[in-house]
Amino acid sequence: MDDVAVMVAGGATASVVLLQHDGDVSTPELTGTLVHRRRLQVDFHVSDWFLYKSPRTCGGRPVLVFYTSRRFKQTRLSSPNRFYMLDENQSKLSEDLMEFRRDASMLNDELSHINARLNMGILGSYDPQQIFKCKGTFVGHQGPVWCLCVYSTGDLLFSGSSDKTIKVWDTCTTYKCQKTLEGHDGIVLALCIQGNKLYSGSADCTIIVWDIQTLQKVNTIRAHDNPVCTLVSSHNMLFSGSLKAIKVWDIVGTELKLKKELTGLNHWVRALVASQNHLYSGSYQTIKIWDIRSLECVHVLQTSGGSVYSIAVTNHHIVCGTYENLIHVWDIETKEQVRTLTGHVGTVYALAVISTPDQTKVFSASYDRSLRVWSMDNMICTQTLLRHQGSVTALAVSRGRLFSGAVDSTVKVSSRVADAVAAERRGRLHEFQTLYELSAEL
């Protein structure tokens, strides 16, 4: 005796009824004893089934009959993994479709916004020479890269990582790792340079002082009771940020002498920037501006979007990136908020500035794996770079080049197309001069 599976079609789900069939399977009569009923997702092999169209109906609904052999019953029906809920499958498809529609709607909105700005002439002329392109990748860390720092004098780039090391990269000639600095017992979260000294802050709560000329450790300071999140130097002082505290250190040779602790902070100090005579610190929905000479707080900016993760200061603006994807912009003179920049869909971990006589660009790095380029003349995003395979956590700039560190354990180098073309021309000119000198000797 063979089995007949009857699928009752219609509605959002389907039922399968297995019947012990007493007659010829080709007969339109559906008489038999109910053996099993369950809902299923039809993911079995078609070759295992024989579709039989029955002219009869079941409860006023069409009936599809599938003929199976005993072998199928023993091998297929014995495995519970072969049957799933049709309604669950349809629900998942519906969710995927809704998500796709939301993404399409967001894309259409952004395109409409750009189109409107183009029609209004806000974007200005498009210059492909100003576009930034990724020119290379530094590979070597065994964990996420959390901080970057450039020593312009020697064209060196320092990167700190979850692998507890600092790598020293040549950014001028060999483009290779020159050395790996080891000494911390925790994640390296912050890097800063003052003179010929490199300062590194770590989750191990210490600050290590390194001599850049010898690339050797010269001192270790137990700085905070909590991880050292941020470091910045100015006026021969080092500022270190941690949980609800900023410590001010006098730099005396290889020593750090505690000068003062700045208090009144409401959360982790994840952003710390020194510009001219002011120190800018970011914590939970607050930016405090401190006078570096008096070490007193002179202004407080209230933000939205959660904790402040990054700060950048230009000639005209104070810019901050927040936990909730936003970038706020204030006028540096009036301290009035002038714009909120949107576009990222993840925490804005880092900000950097490249200024020329003609324009100022702000770069933002985000959890969403993207880098965005913002023109501060008209406050719009002019480019989005997607080159990393993980969240972009750190930025540094040097000689018009942008360095980005990410959770994918790499550091990438980007530069303007115009700069790359100029460098190529200089290389060809040097080549020509060398050949000319050789031919003259001959």
Side-chain angles (χ1 to χ4, degrees):
M1 187 180 296
D2 293 313
D3 299 333
V4 175
V6 181
M7 178 162 26
V8 183
T13 62
S15 295
V16 168
V17 181
L18 295 184
L19 300 175
Q20 294 286 5
H21 191 65
D22 296 322
D24 185 358
V25 74
S26 63
T27 180
E29 298 296 325
L30 291 175
T31 60
T33 305
L34 177 63
V35 176
H36 195 65
R37 174 195 295 266
R38 70 165 62 191
R39 299 184 188 280
L40 80 162
Q41 174 185 355
V42 185
D43 62 348
F44 34 71
H45 297 289
V46 176
S47 60
D48 287 328
W49 297 84
F50 175 82
L51 176 62
Y52 175 71
K53 296 180 181 179
S54 171
R56 300 178 68 93
T57 60
C58 181
R61 291 176 292 175
V63 175
L64 297 180
V65 181
F66 295 86
Y67 169 71
T68 68
S69 65
R70 289 187 180 279
R71 180 181 57 83
F72 173 83
K73 182 179 180 181
Q74 293 170 355
T75 58
R76 295 290 183 182
L77 299 184
S78 61
S79 173
N81 295 327
R82 290 293 168 179
F83 295 95
Y84 304 96
M85 297 289 289
L86 258 183
D87 51 349
E88 290 182 3
N89 187 48
Q90 290 181 343
S91 176
K92 184 178 183 304
L93 288 174
S94 298
E95 290 175 4
D96 291 344
L97 181 60
M98 289 178 64
E99 186 176 351
F100 172 77
R101 286 175 175 169
R102 282 195 298 267
D103 292 344
S105 177
M106 289 175 59
L107 182 59
N108 287 331
D109 290 344
E110 188 167 351
L111 289 173
S112 299
H113 182 66
I114 293 173
N115 189 51
R117 286 178 172 267
L118 282 169
N119 293 335
M120 294 167 61
I122 295 177
L123 292 181
S125 58
Y126 169 72
D127 184 1
Q129 296 296 306
Q130 300 302 317
I131 294 297
F132 278 76
K133 293 187 68 175
C134 180
K135 310 305 293 184
T137 305
F138 293 126
V139 179
H141 278 297
Q142 300 302 309
V145 176
W146 294 108
C147 50
L148 296 172
C149 190
V150 174
Y151 182 60
S152 300
T153 305
D155 284 309
L156 297 177
L157 173 72
F158 298 90
S159 58
S161 168
S162 288
D163 62 15
K164 305 177 184 179
T165 71
I166 301 164
K167 287 192 177 291
V168 187
W169 308 92
D170 180 347
T171 67
C172 184
T173 53
T174 65
Y175 299 97
K176 293 181 179 179
C177 180
Q178 299 298 295
K179 190 171 182 178
T180 299
L181 309 181
E182 298 179 346
H184 281 294
D185 294 324
I187 297 170
V188 182
L189 296 170
L191 292 170
C192 172
I193 288 175
Q194 172 71 25
N196 63 348
K197 299 292 187 296
L198 171 72
Y199 299 88
S200 59
S202 169
D204 63 14
C205 308
T206 68
I207 297 173
I208 293 183
V209 187
W210 310 83
D211 186 295
I212 295 179
Q213 304 303 319
T214 62
L215 296 177
Q216 296 295 322
K217 178 171 67 173
V218 293
N219 199 1
T220 301
I221 297 95
R222 179 75 183 186
H224 290 267
D225 295 328
N226 294 285
V228 180
C229 297
T230 46
L231 291 172
V232 68
S233 63
S234 181
H235 293 65
N236 207 41
M237 291 182 290
L238 181 71
F239 302 86
S240 60
S242 185
L243 177 62
K244 297 184 179 181
I246 299 171
K247 288 189 177 181
V248 186
W249 310 83
D250 277 325
I251 299 174
V252 184
T254 61
E255 300 292 326
L256 293 178
K257 304 294 185 182
L258 183 61
K259 183 173 185 176
K260 186 177 181 179
E261 182 170 342
L262 309 182
T263 57
L265 300 148
N266 61 12
H267 209 264
W268 289 98
V269 181
R270 292 189 173 95
L272 205 56
V273 171
S275 178
Q276 297 182 351
N277 293 318
H278 291 98
L279 176 74
Y280 300 81
S281 65
S283 47
Y284 181 73
Q285 298 198 154
T286 304
I287 294 176
K288 288 198 170 188
I289 305 175
W290 310 79
D291 187 299
I292 287 182
R293 292 159 296 190
S294 66
L295 297 177
E296 297 294 331
C297 180
V298 295
H299 205 94
V300 178
L301 302 178
Q302 299 297 331
T303 74
S304 61
S307 292
V308 175
Y309 271 73
S310 52
I311 296 175
V313 180
T314 73
N315 292 334
H316 304 290
H317 298 105
I318 303 165
V319 188
C320 86
T322 70
Y323 174 78
E324 295 180 2
N325 321 338
L326 302 176
I327 298 174
H328 298 297
V329 184
W330 289 265
D331 184 283
I332 198 168
E333 297 296 336
T334 66
K335 307 299 188 293
E336 295 291 328
Q337 186 170 342
V338 295
R339 191 69 61 90
T340 295
L341 309 178
T342 59
H344 281 298
V345 291
T347 300
V348 182
Y349 282 128
L351 293 169
V353 180
I354 292 182
S355 294
T356 65
D358 300 328
Q359 59 186 339
T360 298
K361 292 184 181 295
V362 169
F363 300 83
S364 58
S366 172
Y367 176 85
D368 63 17
R369 300 186 297 115
S370 75
L371 285 166
R372 284 181 176 254
V373 186
W374 306 87
S375 168
M376 298 310 291
D377 298 330
N378 45 27
M379 302 284 181
I380 63 167
C381 177
T382 59
Q383 188 181 356
T384 301
L385 293 94
L386 285 167
R387 294 294 179 268
H388 285 283
Q389 299 302 310
S391 304
V392 190
T393 55
L395 295 175
V397 295
S398 175
R399 304 188 184 188
R401 297 171 298 175
L402 176 71
F403 301 93
S404 58
V407 172
D408 62 11
S409 307
T410 69
V411 178
K412 292 187 181 291
V413 189
S414 302
S415 63
R416 292 188 311 157
V417 172
D419 295 336
V421 171
E424 185 178 353
R425 287 175 178 171
R426 286 194 298 270
R428 288 179 179 177
L429 178 61
H430 177 71
E431 230 175 78
F432 176 77
Q433 289 174 337
T434 302
L435 288 172
Y436 178 79
E437 290 169 1
L438 288 173
S439 62
E441 291 176 3
L442 293 173

